[in-house]
Amino acid sequence: MQNPFDFKPADQIQDLQYFGEFGGVNPSISDSSTYTFLSAKTMFDTFEGNAEGCYLYSRHSSPMNLYLGQALAALEGTEAANVTASGMGAITSVLMQLCASGDEIVSSRTIYGGTYAFMKNMLPKWKIATRFVDITKLEVVEAAITPNTKVLYCETVSNPLLEVADIQGLAQLAKKYNLKLVVDNTFSPLQVAPVKLGADVVIHSLTKFINGSSDTVGGVICGTQQFIDDLRNVNDGACMLLGPTMDSFRSASILKNLRTLHIRMKQHSYNAAYLASRFEKDGLKVVYPGLESHPSHTILSRQMNHEYGYGGMMTLDVGSLDRANALMELMQHNNLGYLAVSLGFYKTLFSAPGTSTSSEIPMDEQQEMGLTDGLIRFSIGLDNDIERTYEKMTDCMRQLGIL
């Protein structure tokens, strides 16, 4: 297995070069849903997947989607990638492709609420069961595996509690039991390369850090060429038959923003690390993987590319939902960011996940996993003067008696 520290994803993206139809430095967008052929045989060959470089219908593929897919495969170090219209489009397509009636999934208990709801409420309709476990305990994960298990599923850094998956350890379990390890890497692009650690499939919500401007929804599936071909198969491919196709204009927008991802991730990480360390010294209940106090700090440190830091996500527990809401409203009033879901924007975003992005998870299960009412999830922005931001944030906390 390649040493993950030897993999340079930003260089892989940098080395990609596309020309537009008239020599443009950006590739041309094909604004068509269907494509013409000079001969009927070429159409037949294209439909069968035997005509390289020919396009048939944009749900099958389009030039811009293929360009973006190539760039994202370079980002994750996989053979191929397929873009989708949303992160959930990627997640649901992968699980439907890998699982059939009677199969089981072993998943982290702390995952995005939409993923949890799909596994808990939708997949049982196809008799696909999910066992939710503490992903940080490999012995607990192994104990949940049965002869029917087909997939291990986790997030590199979990939403919203920022638990860190030991991807190398999970990959060893997957290999031992002949399972597919699927990793949602949305919170840690560039920072962690799951396939280099042994994962089989990597998913991103492109909506977040990779796009970075909160104006586009998208997803991607990165894996082997064979798996991506299976997803696109006209007869039984989930990405073909479920129809989660990304629009070409959105692909073009994301491809442009991807080129600055390495710069943005460094600043997100720098700012989040600064705030987290200062908040911890102030005695606040802060969780950030870059702090030595984080339970999985050592695990993330050994599987990450240190050039990009520990990411832009942190949580702060202020004790109650009322205090959390009051603080978020006051910070928004003082132009410190937005009370909004999602992440990866140039401004800081904050939300109370128990009543927003994780609200699909029943209250008793939220309590069991440690998702408290007063927890605020922060996606730290690209602030130029992060010390100024810290002073303004702590001033808001003092006004509310949190500090």
Side-chain angles (χ1 to χ4, degrees):
M1 185 184 301
Q2 181 181 0
N3 186 330
F5 297 104
D6 294 336
F7 178 58
K8 304 295 183 185
D11 292 350
Q12 302 298 314
I13 296 169
Q14 180 73 35
D15 288 345
L16 292 173
Q17 194 158 301
Y18 304 113
F19 294 96
E21 184 179 359
F22 303 104
V25 295
N26 289 307
S28 303
I29 302 171
S30 177
D31 190 19
S32 296
S33 60
T34 191
Y35 299 82
T36 58
F37 293 86
L38 296 180
S39 74
K41 184 178 185 308
T42 307
M43 177 183 282
F44 172 78
D45 288 341
T46 303
F47 207 95
E48 293 295 305
N50 299 322
E52 188 71 27
C54 293
Y55 299 93
L56 177 72
Y57 182 56
S58 285
R59 179 164 58 81
H60 295 213
S61 66
S62 66
M64 189 56 70
N65 284 6
L66 290 177
Y67 290 145
L68 179 58
Q70 289 171 354
L72 293 166
L75 168 72
E76 285 297 347
T78 60
E79 293 177 352
N82 191 65
V83 296
T84 59
S86 70
M88 284 305 299
I91 291 163
T92 56
S93 294
V94 166
L95 294 178
M96 293 301 287
Q97 190 72 30
L98 292 176
C99 297
S101 179
D103 290 343
E104 293 183 355
I105 300 165
V106 173
S107 169
S108 171
R109 64 183 183 178
T110 57
I111 51 175
Y112 173 57
T115 310
Y116 175 91
F118 180 70
M119 291 177 174
K120 185 74 177 288
N121 303 326
M122 289 288 289
L123 286 180
K125 296 179 181 180
W126 289 277
K127 294 182 169 51
I128 300 169
T130 304
R131 297 168 185 260
F132 296 98
V133 300
D134 183 344
I135 206 71
T136 64
K137 297 177 180 176
L138 293 177
E139 69 278 8
V140 173
V141 175
E142 185 167 18
I145 296 170
T146 75
N148 293 327
T149 306
K150 293 295 186 293
V151 171
L152 288 184
Y153 186 94
C154 69
E155 297 171 348
T156 306
V157 179
S158 77
N159 186 0
L161 297 183
L162 309 185
E163 294 178 345
V164 178
D166 181 351
I167 296 173
Q168 287 174 308
L170 292 169
Q172 289 171 3
L173 284 179
K175 186 175 182 181
K176 179 179 178 180
Y177 293 98
N178 195 28
L179 312 176
K180 295 296 185 184
L181 175 58
V182 179
V183 179
D184 183 336
N185 202 32
T186 298
F187 277 24
S188 41
L190 295 173
Q191 178 190 10
V192 178
V195 166
K196 301 302 181 183
L197 299 167
D200 296 290
V201 180
V202 180
I203 293 166
H204 282 274
S205 169
L206 302 177
T207 314
K208 314 303 194 301
F209 285 115
I210 288 178
N211 185 54
S213 52
S214 289
D215 61 354
T216 295
V217 175
V220 68
I221 303 159
C222 304
T224 63
Q225 186 66 60
Q226 183 61 59
F227 184 63
I228 299 305
D229 288 346
D230 290 345
L231 287 166
R232 292 172 175 161
N233 188 287
V234 295
N235 296 308
D236 58 8
C239 283
M240 183 65 67
L241 300 179
L242 297 177
T245 309
M246 177 175 278
D247 177 77
S248 292
F249 283 90
R250 291 306 185 189
S251 290
S253 176
I254 295 170
L255 183 59
K256 291 169 189 171
N257 288 346
L258 178 64
R259 294 163 183 161
T260 63
L261 178 64
H262 60 294
I263 301 169
R264 292 185 281 111
M265 288 310 300
K266 291 175 185 179
Q267 191 68 28
H268 285 302
S269 291
Y270 176 83
N271 286 350
Y274 180 91
L275 291 178
S277 61
R278 293 294 300 269
F279 289 160
E280 187 173 58
K281 288 176 183 175
D282 291 334
L284 294 167
K285 193 175 179 181
V286 60
V287 173
Y288 180 66
L291 296 174
E292 291 186 7
S293 58
H294 191 285
S296 300
H297 175 75
T298 302
I299 291 174
L300 183 55
S301 295
R302 75 165 184 250
Q303 65 183 14
M304 65 181 276
N305 186 331
H306 287 262
E307 181 179 357
Y308 300 102
Y310 287 85
M313 304 301 296
M314 57 172 278
T315 66
L316 195 63
D317 194 333
V318 296
S320 72
L321 182 59
D322 287 343
R323 295 177 88 188
N325 288 340
L327 177 59
M328 291 188 293
E329 290 171 5
L330 186 57
M331 288 191 297
Q332 179 168 254
H333 178 74
N334 284 280
N335 300 326
L336 285 163
Y338 296 103
L339 203 176
V341 298
S342 200
L343 49 124
F345 193 40
Y346 86 100
K347 289 278 281 187
T348 294
L349 303 177
F350 31 81
S351 61
T355 54
S356 58
T357 53
S358 296
S359 59
E360 295 95 337
I361 301 174
M363 193 59 64
D364 60 331
E365 294 185 33
Q366 289 187 29
Q367 292 171 353
E368 183 182 341
M369 67 177 64
L371 178 49
T372 58
D373 283 347
L375 192 77
I376 302 173
R377 189 192 74 179
F378 286 83
S379 168
I380 304 301
L382 301 174
D383 308 33
N384 180 59
D385 185 349
I386 195 61
E387 185 174 355
R388 172 176 174 266
T389 299
Y390 165 76
E391 296 294 345
K392 292 180 72 174
M393 282 186 172
T394 51
D395 183 59
C396 291
M397 294 178 200
R398 289 188 188 95
Q399 291 182 49
L400 297 171
I402 294 168
L403 264 178

